[in-house]
Amino acid sequence: MGSEWDPLLADDNSSGKVVRCVYSQTLNLTRDPPEGIFAMIDEHRATIVHALICGPRDTVYDGGFFYFLLRFPNDYPFSPPKVRLMTTGGGSVHFNPNLYSCGKVCLSILGTWSGPAWTPVQNLTSVLLSIQSLLSTDPYYNEPGVPRNVVASEQYSDYVRHETMRVAVLDMVGDTSLARSMPPKLLSVARSLFIAHFPVYRDTCEEHAKRNPEGAAFADPLGKTTGTFCWRGLGSRLAAVGSRLGAANFEPDAERSERDAEGEGGGQGGSGSPSGGSGGEWLSQALTPRQRHASPGQPAVARLSA
Amino acid sequence: MQVTVKSWHAVASWTWTSEDDVCGICHMPLDGCAPGAPGPGDDSPVVWGRCSHYFHLMCINTWLHNKNTCPICRRKWEFARCAA
Ligand SMILES: [Zn+2]
Ligand SMILES: [Zn+2]
């Protein structure tokens, strides 16, 4: 159990070559960002990149903000960056069989998992896309060798969905030390996406409060965590954070009224993702063209510190 | 507003070739200068592997210190003969 993977424990001497490489790869990413991925270079250390990966829609990570720190070694791109997940609830949440609660990211291209290793044609974008692909619909099955088990998979998903709301949503946009530790530009990206997605969060809390009774223990089939469900508590926290950030009155579009109409049809929809297309386009909606092509002074999207 | 394309009659196409003409390792133009090379052109030659992937000589050599595989297709790297 070494700590070679950990960007927080690496040396801080950097060559000009690496700095240029990191700069151009970050620039490429911000010019043509994959959906739900944002990145920026640290203001003081040019070989450190802060990245925000949004949980893809229709997964248990939907609407979550996963904050990563990447450090590019001196021989980059000939060896991979070191990557750490910072969104761990203070080391308490095991978001995925490949995302440890200590922040370690297990991916073969990072040299922290078996499988195809790093090669120098990988880059910042491909690393972040690989991480994003871990945030999948049934994360339980990322655990190697587990047999097909629908009940266990649902139990794990219930746990992850709850912790996504508690830690990857509310801790990330609320007034927490984790939120304060992020670059302000990334925080404002997360907060504006939060506001756009607010009605969906509210529905998720309501829906899952019915499914997972308040105070019931997590049933983590991988046995890595303990804790209890508190969807009602999260609902109140959501309302408080939402009103502080000005999201509580957010009824932006036809989408919301569609969802209300669907809701009146009776709640026989399954668990899991919000019904149909509702909540689906939140990321693309939130990323208006104005934000995508950030202009000077525009705080939202990950611009490079020159 | 939404536009539906009903038919498409292509008369010509063109493309920038620059995307293909960069080294996959350093992302600099192949006819430009690899990082650390003294200059472009003959000072920063381009080499092909038998797998048909190509890189700046300096870039692939640095990688071959670590591993004897093509960075793109992961096959064993063998230099193609000149003028292949
Ligand atoms: Zn090169
Ligand atoms: Zn090849």
Side-chain angles (χ1 to χ4, degrees), chain A residues 198-234:
Chain A
F198 185 76
V200 179
Y201 295 130
R202 196 169 50 195
D203 290 356
T204 303
C205 287
E206 285 169 14
E207 193 183 321
H208 289 279
K210 295 175 210 150
R211 183 180 160 82
N212 309 125
E214 205 75 352
F218 294 146
D220 172 8
L222 300 178
K224 301 252 165 62
T225 44
T226 54
T228 54
F229 288 103
C230 56
W231 280 109
R232 297 200 184 286
L234 294 182

Side-chain angles (χ1 to χ4, degrees), chain A residues 17 25 77-78 109 116-123, chain B residues 24-25 27 35 55 59 62-63 66-67 71-72 74:
Chain A
K17 252 193 265 181
Q25 293 192 357
F78 298 101
I109 57 167
W118 176 263
T119 81
V121 295
Q122 310 275 352
N123 55 46
Chain B
I25 295 176
H27 304 282
F55 305 94
C59 295
T62 308
W63 172 242
N66 297 3
K67 265 198 167 162
I72 292 178
R74 300 174 194 271

Side-chain angles (χ1 to χ4, degrees), chain B residues 20-41:
Chain B
D20 292 327
D21 285 352
V22 302
C23 167
I25 295 176
C26 67
H27 304 282
M28 300 297 284
L30 287 171
D31 56 6
C33 185

Side-chain angles (χ1 to χ4, degrees), chain B residues 48-55 70 73 75-78 80:
Chain B
W48 272 255
R50 285 223 176 147
C51 59
S52 83
H53 293 126
Y54 46 86
F55 305 94
C70 170
C73 65
R75 277 184 269 188
K76 183 162 184 277
W77 179 268
E78 290 176 89

Side-chain angles (χ1 to χ4, degrees), chain A residues 243-261:
Chain A
S243 79
R244 200 155 38 76
L245 296 178
N249 304 322
F250 193 78
E251 295 288 337
D253 44 25
E255 192 191 292
R256 176 65 192 165
S257 41
E258 273 169 32
R259 190 174 27 250
D260 286 347

